[in-house]
Amino acid sequence: MKKPVFISLTALFGILLLADCASHRSFSGNGPVHSLKAIFKDDFRIGTALNTTQIEEKDPAVDALIQEQFNTVTPENIMKAEIIHPEWSRYDFTQADRLVAYAKKHHMTVNAHTLIWHSQLPSFMHTMQNTDSVRQYLTSHIHTIASRYDGKVYSWDVVNEALNEDGTMRRSVFQQKLGDDFVVEAFRTAEKAAPHTKLYYNDYNIEEPAKRAGAIRLIRKIQAAGVRIDGVGIQGHWNISSVPFQKIEDSIEEFAALGIEVMFTELDLSVLPSPFKDNITADVNQKIEYNAAMNPYTNGLPDSVQQKLADCYGNLFRIFLKHKDKISRVTFWGAGDQQSWLNDWPVQGRTDYSLLFDRQLKPKPAFFSVINLKKTNL
Ligand code: G3I
């Protein structure tokens, strides 16, 4: 007769924990079982922002993570005007071409970012006073770049952040010299230059009712002019203390009702104190001086905050899944926490924890909270 085998509770817990860790490994080695892009493959594409180091594949750990988890990429900076169009009559496509080659090699789509934005403009645009020159810039910048990458990138953020918080038009150089219709002009030029590329409007806080109403007016105006706009990107830079869940859901419905794709294009959730009383979530021009009280988690994130982050991400993806018929893409603004722009905005040199992967690129509770929503289908 066989002897009964006794396993202590501690040993049993250990075995279960090991099994759990194995099934939650980021790098499965046996196919992307716990990969975001695989898990959400029937729902929406899953993207990340890429910086130069990543495009050049200089860090094998982050490269492996990106290839495992994401099927679409957005350049974090290298297609912005100051880099791709440094002088009036000189373009520099070196890094953008590299990005396109990277995406092709790894079977990813590219959301090109961005053609017309008031920020990160080339220095020659900082002093531009002449209306005709601004018009010429807008037309030739869009034509040159969008036609070069037509058929090579999937989509363009044609115009980025043209609105103020109250839904009025931001007083950018484009608005001041060309009037509010510069947005329609930009889309008209992009439509001609890039007939095979999806064309999007992208902005932050457009889930907020006043700004959302402004975005809807803008999109309707483009449509009324008979010009093509394929989608709208809600950037999704939020803080775990105030993720506007209901407004996000309302926005998905209202934007989708315009007959266009809805995307979350720059998703990250800051866990740090915000210095702003008003609802500024991504105005890159805002800079606040460092003080230690604004940087409370330099030695790691307390469990309660980690859990709050996980809950917020879980709730967000629950909404995304509920509306998956209207949402075509969810892009995180970076792969791991180390990469996040939030470590340096609006206060430089902080330690934020805004993404699904930590500084060692390990999946965080927030990652599991997101994938657990689909667990029954795994
Ligand atoms: O390239 C220079 C480098 O030469 C220099 O040594 C270094 C010193 O600070 O600066 C480098 O440029 C930085 C650039 O990122 C590339 O790393 C800029 O200072 C820095 O301001 C810039 O920040 C970017 C920010 O846009 C600027 O507009 C962030 O990486 C990028 O994540 C952020 O992305 C924007 C989206 O495009 C639009 N929506 C908001 C979002 C977050 O701000």
Side-chain angles (χ1 to χ4, degrees):
M1 198 175 126
K2 275 190 185 164
K3 277 192 188 162
V5 180
F6 293 104
I7 301 178
S8 75
L9 262 184
T10 319
L12 185 62
F13 181 72
I15 290 166
L16 289 175
L17 194 69
L18 268 180
D20 196 47
C21 287
S23 74
H24 284 172
R25 266 183 323 183
S26 175
F27 304 110
S28 63
N30 298 315
V33 176
H34 282 104
S35 126
L36 294 165
K37 71 176 177 190
I39 284 163
F40 294 107
K41 72 177 185 332
D42 297 327
D43 306 315
F44 27 72
R45 276 169 300 128
I46 293 278
T48 182
L50 281 193
N51 63 30
T52 313
T53 318
Q54 296 161 347
I55 294 164
E56 292 174 355
E57 301 188 66
K58 286 185 169 158
D59 178 343
V62 80
D63 298 342
L65 181 79
I66 289 167
Q67 287 152 36
E68 182 184 67
Q69 297 292 331
F70 305 105
N71 50 22
T72 176
V73 289
T74 301
E76 188 171 356
N77 287 299
I78 55 118
M79 283 178 124
K80 290 173 181 172
E82 69 175 357
I83 295 174
I84 204 168
H85 189 178
E87 289 166 40
W88 178 258
S89 49
R90 184 170 73 86
Y91 291 83
D92 182 348
F93 298 116
T94 320
Q95 298 191 63
D97 285 356
R98 225 171 255 159
L99 166 75
V100 168
Y102 170 96
K104 193 173 175 195
K105 176 173 156 199
H106 297 297
H107 312 290
M108 295 167 170
T109 56
V110 174
N111 174 60
H113 173 83
T114 172
L115 287 168
I116 297 297
W117 188 27
H118 62 277
S119 195
Q120 284 180 286
L121 280 170
S123 51
F124 67 81
M125 283 299 286
H126 293 162
T127 49
M128 189 66 74
Q129 289 302 321
N130 181 295
T131 298
D132 286 344
S133 302
V134 174
R135 177 163 288 115
Q136 206 186 325
Y137 167 85
L138 180 135
T139 312
S140 56
H141 180 82
I142 295 176
H143 178 77
T144 306
I145 303 170
S147 59
R148 180 184 178 91
Y149 292 109
D150 190 36
K152 294 184 177 154
V153 301
Y154 181 80
S155 51
W156 267 107
D157 292 334
V158 177
V159 176
N160 195 43
E161 302 174 6
L163 292 162
N164 293 316
E165 297 309 294
D166 65 359
T168 59
M169 295 297 289
R170 184 193 287 272
R171 285 173 65 77
S172 66
V173 60
F174 304 108
Q175 191 274 341
Q176 284 183 284
K177 296 295 170 199
L178 308 179
D180 291 353
D181 280 351
F182 84 86
V183 177
V184 176
E185 278 315 303
F187 276 84
R188 186 176 279 125
T189 311
E191 180 182 31
K192 282 192 201 123
H196 309 99
T197 309
K198 299 257 195 182
L199 307 177
Y200 302 144
Y201 176 71
N202 190 51
D203 210 332
Y204 59 87
N205 282 358
I206 48 171
E207 68 285 351
E208 292 297 323
K211 199 165 181 179
R212 187 197 313 159
I216 290 172
R217 277 195 298 275
L218 205 58
I219 293 161
R220 286 210 173 113
K221 193 175 186 180
I222 298 166
Q223 293 174 324
V227 172
R228 177 164 66 89
I229 174 167
D230 299 297
V232 61
I234 300 170
Q235 290 187 4
H237 298 292
W238 294 302
N239 190 294
I240 58 164
S241 64
S242 57
V243 185
F245 296 110
Q246 188 55 53
K247 292 173 186 169
I248 292 167
E249 195 162 2
D250 295 345
S251 303
I252 296 170
E253 283 170 347
E254 287 185 27
F255 285 131
L258 299 170
I260 56 174
E261 294 169 43
V262 181
M263 285 149 291
F264 291 85
T265 52
E266 303 184 12
L267 182 59
D268 50 26
L269 302 182
S270 176
V271 304
L272 296 180
S274 167
F276 304 122
K277 275 195 223 75
D278 46 353
N279 192 27
I280 299 171
T281 63
D283 184 345
V284 294
N285 298 318
Q286 301 282 339
K287 302 239 185 310
I288 305 288
E289 207 165 314
Y290 182 91
N291 73 71
M294 297 299 291
N295 192 21
Y297 308 128
T298 49
N299 295 322
L301 201 58
D303 288 350
S304 59
V305 186
Q306 190 78 267
Q307 191 52 50
K308 176 103 194 259
L309 180 71
D311 292 345
C312 285
Y313 266 117
N315 289 339
L316 264 182
F317 271 75
R318 199 168 289 118
I319 294 172
F320 296 165
L321 284 171
K322 180 173 164 196
H323 296 284
K324 62 183 184 182
D325 57 322
K326 307 174 191 75
I327 296 173
S328 55
R329 171 167 58 95
V330 177
T331 291
F332 294 87
W333 208 235
D337 285 338
Q338 187 62 43
Q339 183 192 342
S340 174
W341 72 295
L342 289 168
N343 295 311
D344 288 309
W345 183 91
V347 181
Q348 258 201 322
R350 295 201 294 176
T351 308
D352 210 336
Y353 298 81
S354 56
L355 297 163
L356 298 190
F357 298 93
D358 68 15
R359 282 172 167 69
Q360 284 71 46
L361 304 175
K362 294 212 177 66
K364 305 192 320 197
F367 173 86
F368 297 116
S369 143
V370 163
I371 66 160
N372 281 345
L373 295 170
K374 297 275 294 182
K375 199 118 198 191
T376 46
N377 300 330
L378 289 180

